[in-house]
Amino acid sequence: MLEEKSPQLTPISAYGEFGLIKHLTENFSFENPSTEISIGDDAAVINPENRKVVVTTDILAEGVHFNLGYVPLKHLGYKAVVVNLSDIAAMNAVPTQILVSLAVSNRFPVEALEEIYAGISLACKHYKVDLVGGDTTSSNSGLVMSITAIGLEDSQNLVGRNGAKPNDLLVVTGDLGGAYLGLQILEREHAVFLANPDMQPEMEGYDYILEKQLKPEARTDIKNILKELHIKPTSMIDVSDGLSSETLHLSDQSKVGFRIYEEKIPLDSLTIATAEELNLNPVMCALNGGEDYELLFTISPNDFEKIKNHPDFTVIGHAVEMEQGNFLVARGSNELIALNAQGWDAFLRSKKS
Ligand code: ADP
Ligand code: MG
């Protein structure tokens, strides 16, 4: 890791608190006219210009949300931004600013923070968001990072979780389950490394799913694609905890039930192959794996023609009356299996055997 590469490490104490913040943030530039005052004052000032302000925050704790044994710090910084921008995208808003708060133990040298900020900077440039503030403090145990993201949007464009109606179509972007399988590969190779540090990790051929896990992207592109297709989703959520749990959230907030067709769930060929290698059911990985950061939304059935052949979207099911509940329609048998975050694991494993 970092310690091996660079013997000349700088303790955080070598910089004063202000010096450290300045050092870490001096190369950030500003893209958004809505950013009026940013780092260096007591608070940032944002000018929403008659748009609604959309705000979200996420906390990442070492040992709970990430393991620095196999997550590079630069990727961690990038992903910490992405998971917040994904929430802004799920409201159909445009992300514009972020704030970054860090609690770090003195086991981290300045060079480690530079890596995190390199990842944050990359994400800011890629998504055209401005870093406008944060907070920095010490921690007695490891690294905790909290990012707040701000987005702006005209109020008529915002999409909540609560607008789905019976017969609406359930649509997902991209493919699912990859991030979970990427994590399984990282954990497998990390365990091998811990048992025998001379062993080379076998990561070759897993690029797509490793990238889905380590360097996910927020689907901020979907807003414009939907706009061009003249579609406004009736409800929307991002897939951070798995398709099953996100569908239940839409159900709960919209007061509808859902049918998801197992055969329609989009899976990448590497996701399927890796699941088979690890003796997992790839559908289970999509339903319960999480961290895919795709968008899950409902549209009016009248919009089906506009979306049906689009490469970014898959129609995976539809909404029904709330009393009809939430079920997966099994491939082949058409058996209805309750979409229940708890019951899945057992069912899908027993189905495989
Ligand atoms: P205060 O004492 O008023 O909280 P700070 O010294 O914490 O001020 O912060 C000074 C400035 O630096 C503020 O604009 C703050 O938002 C920003 N800042 C502090 N920590 C970070 C950080 N980790 N990343 C980005 N900006 C930060
Ligand atoms: Mg402060």
Side-chain angles (χ1 to χ4, degrees), residues 80-116:
V81 177
V82 162
V83 303
N84 280 280
L85 303 189
S86 178
D87 281 321
I88 301 283
M91 300 302 291
N92 204 36
V94 176
T96 44
Q97 287 89 13
I98 59 166
L99 296 100
V100 175
S101 293
L102 286 177
V104 269
S105 76
N106 55 15
R107 134 175 102 85
F108 290 85
V110 171
E111 286 75 7
L113 301 184
E114 286 170 358
E115 283 292 300
I116 293 173

Side-chain angles (χ1 to χ4, degrees), residues 45-305:
V45 177
I46 289 153
N47 181 353
E49 288 172 330
N50 296 324
R51 287 165 292 178
K52 295 281 184 189
V53 181
V54 181
V55 190
T56 181
T57 196
D58 253 304
I59 196 159
L60 291 176
E62 184 179 356
V64 180
H65 302 99
F66 58 89
N67 180 339
L68 289 176
Y70 52 78
V71 176
L73 290 163
K74 188 171 172 182
H75 287 77
L76 179 67
Y78 192 89
K79 183 170 173 175
V81 177
V82 162
V83 303
N84 280 280
L85 303 189
S86 178
D87 281 321
I88 301 283
M91 300 302 291
N92 204 36
V94 176
T96 44
Q97 287 89 13
I98 59 166
L99 296 100
V100 175
S101 293
L102 286 177
V104 269
S105 76
N106 55 15
R107 134 175 102 85
F108 290 85
V110 171
E111 286 75 7
L113 301 184
E114 286 170 358
E115 283 292 300
I116 293 173
Y117 272 77
I120 292 172
S121 170
L122 201 64
C124 284
K125 288 206 179 84
H126 183 76
Y127 292 99
K128 298 187 168 53
V129 300
D130 300 336
L131 174 65
V132 298
D135 200 20
T136 313
T137 185
S138 57
S139 138
N140 293 334
S141 59
L143 173 68
V144 178
M145 189 168 17
S146 170
I147 296 194
T148 297
I150 295 167
L152 299 174
E153 193 51 59
D154 293 335
S155 65
Q156 74 269 18
N157 293 338
L158 293 176
V159 177
R161 294 179 177 183
N162 60 355
K165 296 276 174 295
N167 298 322
D168 279 359
L169 301 174
L170 185 64
V171 185
V172 71
T173 63
D175 56 77
L176 300 174
Y180 177 78
L181 285 158
L183 180 63
Q184 302 314 304
I185 294 298
L186 286 167
E187 288 193 338
R188 180 182 78 180
E189 296 308 317
H190 186 58
V192 169
F193 171 81
L194 290 179
N196 181 356
D198 295 330
M199 290 274 285
Q200 286 298 310
E202 286 176 31
M203 305 279 203
E204 216 167 288
Y206 296 110
D207 291 15
Y208 176 68
I209 58 173
L210 291 174
E211 193 150 314
K212 277 294 261 187
Q213 171 57 224
L214 290 174
K215 191 173 175 287
E217 301 293 355
R219 298 306 306 259
T220 52
D221 57 326
I222 294 301
K223 180 183 160 59
N224 289 332
I225 296 172
L226 289 173
K227 193 173 168 192
E228 278 165 21
L229 294 171
H230 302 286
I231 294 175
K232 185 187 175 193
T234 53
S235 68
M236 186 150 62
I237 189 168
D238 68 325
V239 184
S240 52
D241 295 331
L243 178 61
S244 187
S245 136
E246 313 307 357
T247 303
L248 294 175
H249 285 310
L250 292 182
S251 161
D252 192 45
Q253 295 282 316
S254 293
K255 307 285 177 250
V256 294
F258 284 101
R259 295 291 176 273
I260 295 179
Y261 293 86
E262 182 184 2
E263 67 200 28
K264 302 283 189 199
I265 295 174
L267 303 168
D268 184 78
S269 57
L270 182 62
T271 299
I272 296 171
T274 309
E276 272 168 17
E277 183 192 339
L278 300 178
N279 209 20
L280 294 169
N281 184 319
V283 173
M284 182 210 66
C285 299
L287 286 165
N288 285 338
E291 293 201 290
D292 287 312
Y293 299 107
E294 297 294 343
L295 293 176
L296 177 71
F297 57 94
T298 51
I299 58 171
S300 158
N302 300 331
D303 288 334
F304 177 63
E305 290 297 320

